[in-house]
Amino acid sequence: MAKRVIEYAGVPVGIVVPDKDLLKFIAVKFHVHDLDGQQFASPSDVLRAIHKLMSASNAGVHRAA
């Protein structure tokens, strides 16, 4: 496994780096900082977690409006 840039909606939001047998996510954008340091089995697992995080964040914004 090698370092890899993770993009969400066409914007680089972090990278994954090998950490033992997993990938550690390093956030570079504030809106995904909650996932910083977490380990994932694959880049697609990181993208799913980001999508879930962003969906929850957007749902909270709509409720507050």
Side-chain angles (χ1 to χ4, degrees), residues 3-57:
K3 296 177 191 176
R4 181 171 170 182
V5 174
I6 301 296
E7 292 185 3
Y8 183 75
V11 177
V13 295
I15 62 170
V16 289
V17 295
D19 186 31
K20 300 177 181 121
D21 291 335
L22 297 170
L23 296 170
K24 180 189 274 188
F25 179 70
I26 300 172
V28 297
K29 294 291 185 181
F30 182 75
H31 60 275
V32 295
H33 194 264
D34 288 349
L35 301 176
D36 188 59
Q38 291 189 28
Q39 294 179 317
F40 297 90
S42 69
S44 60
D45 289 344
V46 177
L47 289 171
R48 276 192 285 280
I50 292 170
H51 180 73
K52 184 176 178 180
L53 178 66
M54 298 308 296
S55 295
S57 295

